[in-house]
Amino acid sequence: MLCGIASVLVAALVSPVAAAQLRQPQTADMAKSVQEPAIECAVTVKTILGSPIPARILLIPGGGASTVQTELPEGAGRVSAPAGTYTAAVYAYDAGVPILVEVQSLTLSAGAAAELNISVLEGSSGNRSLSAFDGDFDLALDRVELEQGTDPGNPRSVPAETPIEWPSPILDSKGGWYRGELHAYSSYGPGSEKVGQLIRRAEAADLDFLAITDPNTLAAARDPEFQSSKLVLIPAMEWQHPALGSALLYAPPAIPSAEIAQAEAQALALKLQAQGGIFAVAHPTLSGRVWQWGLNYPNAIEVWFGEWRATPPMELSGLSEIWARRDAKNQLVNSIAVAAATKLLSANGQAAVYYDRETARGVHASMIAGSGSTGKKQRLGSPMTYVWAREKSLTGILEGIRIGRTFVTAGPDAPFIEFMADIMADESTDVGSGGMVPINVESLFSVGVEGAKGGRVEILFNGYPVRSHVITHERFMYSILDTPGTVGVYRARVLTSPKEKGYGPAEVLAMSSPIYAQSFYVDPAKSASNAGWIDVESTWEDPSTVVVFDPSTLDPSQVITLDAPSTR
């Protein structure tokens, strides 16, 4: 029998059983695994103007049977499945990204011809792509969402999908700096400890949060022992590809396949973020797991994995040709290649180079760190990530990472660092890490350090030191006046001389996430007013409860202020 011709309207809503099937992780073409006899259905996917569109077809049966997935790179072909009634989910590729453009019922019967002809209105003319008709970035057209009864303005409301809802109990309603471990493994991955054992070890270490990041699984987060009244437990996984590197997914709404093309991986990363999760690049310069996905817009980059100077650097030869390419002037093009070519550093030192290159080109990403602990011999929180959160909860910690309020240290006993800026140097702290200052305006950049006497504090711009100073007191404030003349990033770090053998000339003790120098739009009506040329509102809800290092509370000998060389 004829399976139906679709243009704008759908033949039927997705059944609850079909919806459950569509939520299952999809793999490569599974048609070969379908039991015979199979019925063929001819499929075409075109624009309303008749141009074929590369497509993916999912035939979702009821009763728990396997979903049949077929790729149609030319926009036409045949799908095969046993006789029965299916939900057909049709995805059209837009710049390599599959977007849901149709959902309808399909019946296959023995001895009857079957056709599925899809005509897509959106993106058929003009310069608007299919993605322009997906207002909430959930990879489903707004029209399809309306037809299927989901909310086109809510990325967590998707036809035939139910994103995982992770609980977020508030363990402390007070805003402040919280510290924890963002990269540890349980026995569901390469770790030796069961989930409950790992959680108890984190509680004993006086951590505030813990992410168990076993590769390509959320089994730890689904374990009955995944609970604590002391720790914020972050459901997480290491999204691991053997050749392209790893990402850390925090509170993901689903488990994405790593065996996908780059364009689809980018779309899934953006979808995860839109649905409330965090996408972080993991140990980008670790040999054997070098970051070669090349995905844009990460929320965070893991700049510190294990001991700072313990891991050998990666080599440029470890990159594929596309990532090691050079421009007409023989200069390396990609950030990961520049990091690989930087000698005399550890893998972590190269990760910091990668981070500086990425943020200098416009990426806004937090610094994070992780121990990669696989058992009791590897101390949790070494290195440690600190997150400023408005509350001690899953929502609060993820929000702090997302907006850049982080710093990283060597461990629980390492120095505390806080980076802040006073725009116009008018004795009012305006922003901290993750905030922005306007270019061509003088600002006072200050670093507060505790517990690093005898070390050295540095303020960097786009990865290059602007000023540095010996830390002369246990609680120490260092400030510079600077006028950024171009878009870029400032960050701070604390260094000391190495005491043990390792890679790199210095031991890093702490690093802050950056403050971004950005162009600000100036309202001409306000620029001539008495209020000044631009209004800057503090990002701190209550600065008195946030800024640890207030110069007025320190002895003058503990406060150093210098004019910096111009970054113009």
Side-chain angles (χ1 to χ4, degrees):
M1 65 184 291
L2 188 66
C3 67
I5 298 176
S7 55
V8 177
L9 297 178
V10 295
L13 295 178
V14 180
S15 69
V17 173
Q21 285 296 309
L22 189 54
R23 289 196 294 271
Q24 299 302 313
Q26 307 300 332
T27 60
D29 192 340
M30 299 171 63
K32 294 182 180 179
S33 67
V34 176
Q35 295 181 354
E36 297 294 342
I39 310 299
E40 286 192 343
C41 178
V43 181
T44 61
V45 183
K46 298 179 179 181
T47 68
I48 59 170
L49 301 179
S51 301
I53 310 174
R56 170 185 295 172
I57 312 297
L58 300 184
L59 297 185
I60 308 158
S66 297
T67 295
V68 177
Q69 176 175 314
T70 304
E71 299 289 338
L72 302 177
E74 303 299 325
R78 293 181 177 275
V79 297
S80 299
T85 299
Y86 297 83
T87 296
V90 181
Y91 294 79
Y93 281 95
D94 177 32
V97 178
I99 297 178
L100 185 65
V101 297
E102 197 68 59
V103 178
Q104 66 170 269
S105 179
L106 169 65
T107 299
L108 300 179
S109 301
E115 294 181 357
L116 183 64
N117 299 313
I118 306 299
S119 181
V120 182
L121 170 64
E122 295 86 351
S124 296
S125 61
N127 57 5
R128 298 182 70 190
S129 64
L130 276 177
S131 60
F133 298 88
D134 173 21
D136 56 1
F137 305 103
D138 60 3
L139 306 186
L141 292 182
D142 294 344
R143 166 182 58 80
V144 178
E145 294 212 56
L146 290 171
E147 293 167 347
Q148 297 300 310
T150 59
D151 184 354
N154 179 2
R156 296 188 67 85
S157 176
V158 190
E161 292 183 22
T162 304
I164 303 170
E165 296 291 343
W166 302 110
S168 181
I170 299 174
L171 304 183
D172 192 331
S173 60
K174 184 175 62 177
W177 287 106
Y178 293 101
R179 65 181 194 173
E181 171 65 70
L182 289 176
H183 198 162
Y185 301 112
S186 77
S187 56
Y188 285 111
S192 61
E193 296 168 288
K194 293 182 178 180
V195 169
Q197 294 172 319
L198 183 53
I199 290 173
R200 287 192 292 273
R201 185 157 67 97
E203 290 174 339
D206 198 27
L207 301 185
D208 295 307
F209 55 86
L210 169 68
I212 302 176
T213 54
D214 296 315
N216 299 326
T217 180
L218 288 170
R222 290 169 169 157
D223 189 287
E225 295 187 348
F226 190 75
Q227 52 185 302
S228 174
S229 60
K230 300 178 181 178
L231 285 169
V232 172
L233 295 178
I234 303 175
M237 60 178 281
E238 183 174 337
W239 188 56
Q240 194 176 91
H241 189 283
L244 300 178
S246 300
L248 298 169
L249 311 185
Y250 300 113
I255 303 176
S257 170
E259 299 298 329
I260 54 179
Q262 193 269 352
E264 186 174 352
Q266 179 66 79
L268 287 174
L270 294 176
K271 180 178 179 179
L272 178 147
Q273 294 174 42
Q275 293 179 329
I278 293 289
F279 183 87
V281 177
H283 42 59
T285 53
L286 184 65
S287 294
R289 285 182 277 176
V290 174
W291 181 251
Q292 297 185 86
W293 270 109
L295 305 182
N296 292 315
Y297 313 114
N299 298 111
I301 297 174
E302 188 179 40
V303 297
W304 201 334
F305 183 64
E307 295 182 14
W308 181 261
R309 301 177 63 248
T311 307
M314 63 174 288
E315 299 291 336
L316 190 59
S317 59
L319 294 175
S320 62
E321 184 176 346
I322 188 173
W323 295 111
R325 70 184 187 276
R326 297 175 182 269
D327 60 18
K329 296 181 180 180
N330 201 37
Q331 299 294 312
L332 292 167
V333 174
N334 294 295
S335 301
I336 194 67
V338 174
T342 306
K343 304 297 183 182
L344 303 178
L345 294 177
S346 66
N348 287 318
Q350 290 178 323
V353 172
Y354 170 78
Y355 180 88
D356 287 330
R357 290 279 299 197
E358 286 292 281
T359 52
R361 75 179 184 89
V363 172
H364 284 216
S366 296
M367 278 192 174
I368 62 172
S371 68
S373 177
T374 57
K376 294 181 180 179
K377 292 183 179 180
Q378 289 175 278
R379 189 181 187 187
L380 291 171
S382 295
M384 184 86 76
T385 303
Y386 283 76
V387 180
W388 196 95
R390 55 185 171 86
E391 63 185 26
K392 186 179 177 180
S393 69
L394 175 62
T395 300
I397 297 299
L398 295 184
E399 179 185 72
I401 295 173
R402 187 177 295 111
I403 62 180
R405 291 182 176 178
T406 70
F407 68 88
V408 294
T409 71
D413 305 319
F416 184 95
I417 183 175
E418 187 168 23
F419 190 38
M420 62 206 87
D422 171 5
I423 302 168
M424 299 181 184
D426 56 2
E427 299 184 357
S428 173
T429 298
D430 296 300
V431 297
S433 292
M436 293 184 289
V437 299
I439 63 172
N440 299 319
V441 176
E442 185 178 64
S443 293
L444 181 71
F445 297 90
S446 300
V447 190
V449 182
E450 185 171 359
K453 183 179 179 180
R456 178 171 290 275
V457 60
E458 291 184 342
I459 296 177
L460 303 90
F461 183 77
N462 287 348
Y464 296 96
V466 176
R467 285 281 192 178
S468 67
H469 201 280
V470 173
I471 300 170
T472 56
H473 295 76
E474 280 301 304
R475 297 187 77 243
F476 185 75
M477 173 74 82
Y478 180 62
S479 301
I480 64 170
L481 285 165
D482 197 25
T483 304
T486 183
V487 171
V489 290
Y490 291 86
R491 68 179 180 91
R493 67 183 178 188
V494 177
L495 312 170
T496 191
S497 299
K499 296 180 180 178
E500 300 178 358
K501 291 184 178 181
Y503 301 92
E507 193 74 61
V508 174
L509 301 179
M511 297 190 294
S512 75
S513 282
I515 292 173
Y516 302 89
Q518 297 285 296
S519 297
F520 282 70
Y521 170 74
V522 180
D523 186 339
K526 289 186 176 182
S527 64
S529 71
N530 293 330
W533 69 277
I534 188 168
D535 292 329
V536 179
E537 183 176 344
S538 174
T539 61
W540 303 109
E541 295 162 356
D542 182 359
S544 66
T545 67
V546 177
V547 180
V548 175
F549 293 91
D550 181 354
S552 65
T553 66
L554 301 178
D555 183 274
S557 65
Q558 297 173 260
V559 181
I560 307 294
T561 302
L562 298 172
D563 287 329
S566 175
T567 54
R568 293 178 183 271

Short mmCIF file of all heavy atoms in Angstrom, two decimals, residues 299-345:
data_model
loop_
_atom_site.label_atom_id
_atom_site.label_comp_id
_atom_site.label_asym_id
_atom_site.label_seq_id
_atom_site.Cartn_x
_atom_site.Cartn_y
_atom_site.Cartn_z
N ASN A 299 32.18 25.47 26.43
CA ASN A 299 31.97 26.24 27.66
C ASN A 299 33.24 26.33 28.48
O ASN A 299 33.42 27.27 29.26
CB ASN A 299 30.89 25.58 28.53
CG ASN A 299 29.54 25.52 27.85
OD1 ASN A 299 29.07 24.45 27.50
ND2 ASN A 299 28.91 26.66 27.65
N ALA A 300 34.11 25.32 28.35
CA ALA A 300 35.32 25.27 29.17
C ALA A 300 36.39 24.46 28.46
O ALA A 300 36.11 23.68 27.54
CB ALA A 300 35.00 24.64 30.54
N ILE A 301 37.63 24.66 28.88
CA ILE A 301 38.77 23.89 28.38
C ILE A 301 39.57 23.41 29.58
O ILE A 301 39.90 24.20 30.48
CB ILE A 301 39.66 24.73 27.45
CG1 ILE A 301 38.87 25.17 26.20
CG2 ILE A 301 40.91 23.96 27.04
CD1 ILE A 301 39.62 26.12 25.29
N GLU A 302 39.85 22.11 29.60
CA GLU A 302 40.63 21.53 30.69
C GLU A 302 42.12 21.81 30.43
O GLU A 302 42.76 21.13 29.65
CB GLU A 302 40.38 20.03 30.77
CG GLU A 302 41.01 19.37 31.99
CD GLU A 302 40.71 17.88 32.04
OE1 GLU A 302 40.75 17.22 30.99
OE2 GLU A 302 40.44 17.38 33.16
N VAL A 303 42.65 22.81 31.12
CA VAL A 303 44.03 23.23 30.90
C VAL A 303 45.01 22.50 31.80
O VAL A 303 46.23 22.65 31.65
CB VAL A 303 44.19 24.75 31.12
CG1 VAL A 303 43.37 25.53 30.10
CG2 VAL A 303 43.79 25.14 32.53
N TRP A 304 44.49 21.72 32.75
CA TRP A 304 45.36 21.11 33.75
C TRP A 304 44.83 19.72 34.06
O TRP A 304 43.74 19.56 34.59
CB TRP A 304 45.35 21.97 35.01
CG TRP A 304 46.49 21.81 35.95
CD1 TRP A 304 47.29 20.73 36.13
CD2 TRP A 304 46.96 22.80 36.89
NE1 TRP A 304 48.22 20.96 37.11
CE2 TRP A 304 48.04 22.23 37.59
CE3 TRP A 304 46.55 24.08 37.21
CZ2 TRP A 304 48.71 22.93 38.60
CZ3 TRP A 304 47.22 24.77 38.20
CH2 TRP A 304 48.30 24.20 38.88
N PHE A 305 45.59 18.70 33.70
CA PHE A 305 45.17 17.31 33.89
C PHE A 305 46.32 16.56 34.55
O PHE A 305 47.37 16.36 33.95
CB PHE A 305 44.82 16.68 32.53
CG PHE A 305 44.31 15.27 32.63
CD1 PHE A 305 43.12 14.98 33.28
CD2 PHE A 305 45.01 14.22 32.05
CE1 PHE A 305 42.64 13.68 33.35
CE2 PHE A 305 44.54 12.92 32.11
CZ PHE A 305 43.36 12.65 32.77
N GLY A 306 46.16 16.18 35.81
CA GLY A 306 47.25 15.56 36.55
C GLY A 306 48.27 16.59 36.99
O GLY A 306 48.03 17.80 36.94
N GLU A 307 49.43 16.15 37.44
CA GLU A 307 50.47 17.07 37.92
C GLU A 307 50.97 17.95 36.77
O GLU A 307 51.15 17.47 35.64
CB GLU A 307 51.62 16.29 38.54
CG GLU A 307 51.23 15.53 39.80
CD GLU A 307 52.42 14.80 40.41
OE1 GLU A 307 53.57 15.10 40.02
OE2 GLU A 307 52.20 13.92 41.27
N TRP A 308 51.27 19.22 37.07
CA TRP A 308 51.56 20.19 36.03
C TRP A 308 52.73 19.78 35.14
O TRP A 308 52.64 19.87 33.92
CB TRP A 308 51.83 21.57 36.65
CG TRP A 308 52.10 22.61 35.60
CD1 TRP A 308 53.31 23.07 35.18
CD2 TRP A 308 51.12 23.28 34.81
NE1 TRP A 308 53.16 24.00 34.18
CE2 TRP A 308 51.82 24.14 33.93
CE3 TRP A 308 49.73 23.25 34.75
CZ2 TRP A 308 51.17 24.96 33.01
CZ3 TRP A 308 49.08 24.06 33.82
CH2 TRP A 308 49.80 24.90 32.97
N ARG A 309 53.81 19.32 35.71
CA ARG A 309 55.04 19.07 34.93
C ARG A 309 55.29 17.58 34.70
O ARG A 309 56.36 17.20 34.22
CB ARG A 309 56.24 19.70 35.65
CG ARG A 309 56.12 21.20 35.85
CD ARG A 309 57.29 21.81 36.63
NE ARG A 309 58.56 21.65 35.94
CZ ARG A 309 59.56 20.89 36.34
NH1 ARG A 309 59.43 20.16 37.47
NH2 ARG A 309 60.67 20.82 35.65
N ALA A 310 54.33 16.73 35.01
CA ALA A 310 54.57 15.29 34.96
C ALA A 310 54.39 14.67 33.58
O ALA A 310 55.02 13.67 33.25
CB ALA A 310 53.65 14.57 35.95
N THR A 311 53.54 15.26 32.74
CA THR A 311 53.17 14.63 31.47
C THR A 311 53.99 15.21 30.32
O THR A 311 54.05 16.44 30.16
CB THR A 311 51.67 14.84 31.18
OG1 THR A 311 50.92 14.38 32.31
CG2 THR A 311 51.25 14.06 29.95
N PRO A 312 54.63 14.36 29.52
CA PRO A 312 55.45 14.87 28.41
C PRO A 312 54.62 15.60 27.38
O PRO A 312 53.41 15.35 27.24
CB PRO A 312 56.07 13.59 27.82
CG PRO A 312 55.17 12.49 28.24
CD PRO A 312 54.63 12.88 29.57
N PRO A 313 55.25 16.50 26.64
CA PRO A 313 54.50 17.28 25.64
C PRO A 313 54.10 16.44 24.44
O PRO A 313 54.68 15.39 24.16
CB PRO A 313 55.50 18.37 25.24
CG PRO A 313 56.84 17.73 25.47
CD PRO A 313 56.67 16.87 26.68
N MET A 314 53.10 16.89 23.73
CA MET A 314 52.72 16.27 22.47
C MET A 314 53.65 16.77 21.37
O MET A 314 54.32 17.79 21.52
CB MET A 314 51.27 16.62 22.11
CG MET A 314 51.04 18.11 21.89
SD MET A 314 49.38 18.53 21.30
CE MET A 314 49.47 17.92 19.62
N GLU A 315 53.69 16.04 20.28
CA GLU A 315 54.53 16.42 19.15
C GLU A 315 53.65 16.85 17.98
O GLU A 315 52.53 16.35 17.80
CB GLU A 315 55.42 15.24 18.72
CG GLU A 315 56.38 14.77 19.79
CD GLU A 315 57.47 15.78 20.09
OE1 GLU A 315 57.77 16.61 19.20
OE2 GLU A 315 58.02 15.75 21.21
N LEU A 316 54.16 17.75 17.18
CA LEU A 316 53.43 18.21 16.01
C LEU A 316 53.13 17.06 15.06
O LEU A 316 52.09 17.04 14.38
CB LEU A 316 54.24 19.30 15.29
CG LEU A 316 53.54 20.07 14.16
CD1 LEU A 316 52.29 20.77 14.68
CD2 LEU A 316 54.49 21.09 13.55
N SER A 317 54.00 16.08 15.04
CA SER A 317 53.81 14.91 14.17
C SER A 317 52.59 14.07 14.59
O SER A 317 52.12 13.23 13.82
CB SER A 317 55.06 14.03 14.17
OG SER A 317 55.35 13.59 15.49
N GLY A 318 52.09 14.32 15.80
CA GLY A 318 50.93 13.56 16.27
C GLY A 318 49.61 14.09 15.75
O GLY A 318 48.56 13.49 16.00
N LEU A 319 49.64 15.20 15.01
CA LEU A 319 48.43 15.78 14.46
C LEU A 319 48.20 15.31 13.04
O LEU A 319 49.15 15.05 12.30
CB LEU A 319 48.52 17.30 14.47
CG LEU A 319 48.55 18.01 15.83
CD1 LEU A 319 48.75 19.50 15.64
CD2 LEU A 319 47.27 17.75 16.60
N SER A 320 46.95 15.23 12.65
CA SER A 320 46.64 14.92 11.26
C SER A 320 47.02 16.11 10.40
O SER A 320 47.19 17.24 10.89
CB SER A 320 45.16 14.60 11.10
OG SER A 320 44.37 15.72 11.47
N GLU A 321 47.12 15.88 9.12
CA GLU A 321 47.61 16.90 8.20
C GLU A 321 46.75 18.17 8.22
O GLU A 321 47.26 19.28 8.16
CB GLU A 321 47.63 16.33 6.78
CG GLU A 321 48.22 17.28 5.75
CD GLU A 321 48.31 16.65 4.36
OE1 GLU A 321 48.17 15.41 4.27
OE2 GLU A 321 48.51 17.40 3.38
N ILE A 322 45.45 18.00 8.36
CA ILE A 322 44.57 19.16 8.32
C ILE A 322 44.81 20.09 9.49
O ILE A 322 44.71 21.32 9.38
CB ILE A 322 43.09 18.73 8.25
CG1 ILE A 322 42.20 19.96 8.01
CG2 ILE A 322 42.67 18.01 9.54
CD1 ILE A 322 40.75 19.61 7.77
N TRP A 323 45.18 19.54 10.66
CA TRP A 323 45.40 20.38 11.83
C TRP A 323 46.82 20.90 11.91
O TRP A 323 47.09 21.86 12.65
CB TRP A 323 45.05 19.61 13.10
CG TRP A 323 43.60 19.28 13.15
CD1 TRP A 323 43.02 18.06 13.04
CD2 TRP A 323 42.52 20.21 13.26
NE1 TRP A 323 41.66 18.15 13.06
CE2 TRP A 323 41.31 19.47 13.21
CE3 TRP A 323 42.45 21.59 13.41
CZ2 TRP A 323 40.07 20.07 13.29
CZ3 TRP A 323 41.19 22.19 13.49
CH2 TRP A 323 40.03 21.44 13.44
N ALA A 324 47.73 20.32 11.15
CA ALA A 324 49.12 20.78 11.15
C ALA A 324 49.44 21.66 9.95
O ALA A 324 50.60 21.98 9.70
CB ALA A 324 50.06 19.58 11.17
N ARG A 325 48.41 22.07 9.21
CA ARG A 325 48.66 22.83 7.99
C ARG A 325 49.20 24.23 8.29
O ARG A 325 48.98 24.77 9.37
CB ARG A 325 47.40 22.92 7.14
CG ARG A 325 46.30 23.78 7.69
CD ARG A 325 45.06 23.70 6.79
NE ARG A 325 44.02 24.62 7.17
CZ ARG A 325 43.11 24.40 8.12
NH1 ARG A 325 43.15 23.25 8.78
NH2 ARG A 325 42.19 25.30 8.40
N ARG A 326 49.84 24.82 7.30
CA ARG A 326 50.43 26.15 7.41
C ARG A 326 49.85 27.08 6.36
O ARG A 326 49.34 26.62 5.33
CB ARG A 326 51.96 26.08 7.27
CG ARG A 326 52.64 25.26 8.37
CD ARG A 326 54.13 25.11 8.12
NE ARG A 326 54.77 24.30 9.13
CZ ARG A 326 55.32 24.77 10.26
NH1 ARG A 326 55.31 26.09 10.48
NH2 ARG A 326 55.88 23.96 11.13
N ASP A 327 49.95 28.38 6.60
CA ASP A 327 49.44 29.35 5.64
C ASP A 327 50.52 29.70 4.62
O ASP A 327 51.60 29.07 4.59
CB ASP A 327 48.93 30.60 6.35
CG ASP A 327 50.02 31.31 7.16
OD1 ASP A 327 51.22 31.06 6.93
OD2 ASP A 327 49.66 32.12 8.05
N ALA A 328 50.25 30.69 3.81
CA ALA A 328 51.18 31.07 2.74
C ALA A 328 52.52 31.57 3.28
O ALA A 328 53.53 31.52 2.59
CB ALA A 328 50.54 32.14 1.85
N LYS A 329 52.52 32.05 4.52
CA LYS A 329 53.75 32.52 5.14
C LYS A 329 54.43 31.44 5.98
O LYS A 329 55.32 31.73 6.77
CB LYS A 329 53.46 33.74 6.02
CG LYS A 329 52.95 34.94 5.23
CD LYS A 329 52.70 36.13 6.15
CE LYS A 329 52.21 37.33 5.37
NZ LYS A 329 51.96 38.52 6.26
N ASN A 330 53.97 30.21 5.82
CA ASN A 330 54.51 29.05 6.54
C ASN A 330 54.24 29.10 8.04
O ASN A 330 54.95 28.48 8.84
CB ASN A 330 56.02 28.89 6.28
CG ASN A 330 56.50 27.48 6.56
OD1 ASN A 330 55.80 26.51 6.28
ND2 ASN A 330 57.71 27.35 7.09
N GLN A 331 53.20 29.84 8.43
CA GLN A 331 52.81 29.91 9.82
C GLN A 331 51.73 28.87 10.11
O GLN A 331 50.82 28.65 9.30
CB GLN A 331 52.27 31.30 10.16
CG GLN A 331 53.28 32.42 9.94
CD GLN A 331 54.46 32.33 10.90
OE1 GLN A 331 54.28 32.16 12.10
NE2 GLN A 331 55.66 32.45 10.37
N LEU A 332 51.84 28.21 11.26
CA LEU A 332 50.82 27.25 11.65
C LEU A 332 49.49 27.96 11.83
O LEU A 332 49.41 29.04 12.42
CB LEU A 332 51.23 26.55 12.94
CG LEU A 332 52.44 25.60 12.82
CD1 LEU A 332 52.94 25.21 14.20
CD2 LEU A 332 52.07 24.36 12.01
N VAL A 333 48.42 27.34 11.34
CA VAL A 333 47.11 27.98 11.31
C VAL A 333 46.31 27.71 12.58
O VAL A 333 45.69 28.62 13.12
CB VAL A 333 46.32 27.50 10.08
CG1 VAL A 333 44.90 28.04 10.11
CG2 VAL A 333 47.03 27.91 8.81
N ASN A 334 46.33 26.49 13.08
CA ASN A 334 45.43 26.08 14.14
C ASN A 334 46.07 26.17 15.52
O ASN A 334 47.26 25.93 15.70
CB ASN A 334 44.96 24.65 13.89
CG ASN A 334 44.11 24.55 12.64
OD1 ASN A 334 43.03 25.10 12.57
ND2 ASN A 334 44.63 23.86 11.63
N SER A 335 45.25 26.49 16.51
CA SER A 335 45.73 26.65 17.88
C SER A 335 46.39 25.39 18.40
O SER A 335 47.41 25.45 19.09
CB SER A 335 44.57 27.03 18.80
OG SER A 335 43.97 28.24 18.38
N ILE A 336 45.82 24.23 18.08
CA ILE A 336 46.38 22.98 18.59
C ILE A 336 47.77 22.73 18.00
O ILE A 336 48.65 22.17 18.68
CB ILE A 336 45.42 21.80 18.31
CG1 ILE A 336 45.83 20.58 19.13
CG2 ILE A 336 45.35 21.49 16.83
CD1 ILE A 336 45.64 20.73 20.61
N ALA A 337 48.00 23.16 16.76
CA ALA A 337 49.32 22.99 16.14
C ALA A 337 50.34 23.94 16.77
O ALA A 337 51.50 23.56 16.99
CB ALA A 337 49.22 23.23 14.64
N VAL A 338 49.93 25.16 17.06
CA VAL A 338 50.83 26.11 17.73
C VAL A 338 51.23 25.57 19.09
O VAL A 338 52.40 25.63 19.49
CB VAL A 338 50.16 27.49 17.86
CG1 VAL A 338 51.03 28.43 18.70
CG2 VAL A 338 49.90 28.09 16.49
N ALA A 339 50.27 24.99 19.81
CA ALA A 339 50.59 24.40 21.11
C ALA A 339 51.56 23.25 20.97
O ALA A 339 52.52 23.13 21.74
CB ALA A 339 49.30 23.93 21.78
N ALA A 340 51.35 22.39 19.97
CA ALA A 340 52.23 21.24 19.76
C ALA A 340 53.63 21.66 19.39
O ALA A 340 54.61 20.98 19.74
CB ALA A 340 51.65 20.34 18.68
N ALA A 341 53.76 22.78 18.70
CA ALA A 341 55.07 23.25 18.25
C ALA A 341 55.81 24.03 19.33
O ALA A 341 56.99 24.38 19.15
CB ALA A 341 54.92 24.11 17.00
N THR A 342 55.15 24.32 20.45
CA THR A 342 55.78 25.05 21.55
C THR A 342 56.61 24.08 22.38
O THR A 342 56.06 23.17 23.01
CB THR A 342 54.73 25.75 22.42
OG1 THR A 342 53.90 26.58 21.60
CG2 THR A 342 55.40 26.62 23.47
N LYS A 343 57.90 24.26 22.38
CA LYS A 343 58.81 23.31 23.02
C LYS A 343 59.05 23.65 24.49
O LYS A 343 58.67 24.70 24.98
CB LYS A 343 60.15 23.29 22.27
CG LYS A 343 60.02 22.97 20.78
CD LYS A 343 59.45 21.58 20.54
CE LYS A 343 59.39 21.24 19.05
NZ LYS A 343 58.79 19.92 18.80
N LEU A 344 59.70 22.72 25.18
CA LEU A 344 60.16 22.87 26.56
C LEU A 344 59.01 23.08 27.54
O LEU A 344 59.18 23.73 28.59
CB LEU A 344 61.16 24.03 26.67
CG LEU A 344 62.40 23.93 25.77
CD1 LEU A 344 63.28 25.15 25.94
CD2 LEU A 344 63.17 22.65 26.03
N LEU A 345 57.84 22.55 27.22
CA LEU A 345 56.71 22.62 28.13
C LEU A 345 56.15 21.22 28.37
O LEU A 345 56.36 20.31 27.57
CB LEU A 345 55.59 23.50 27.54
CG LEU A 345 55.88 24.99 27.35
CD1 LEU A 345 54.68 25.67 26.69
CD2 LEU A 345 56.21 25.67 28.67
#
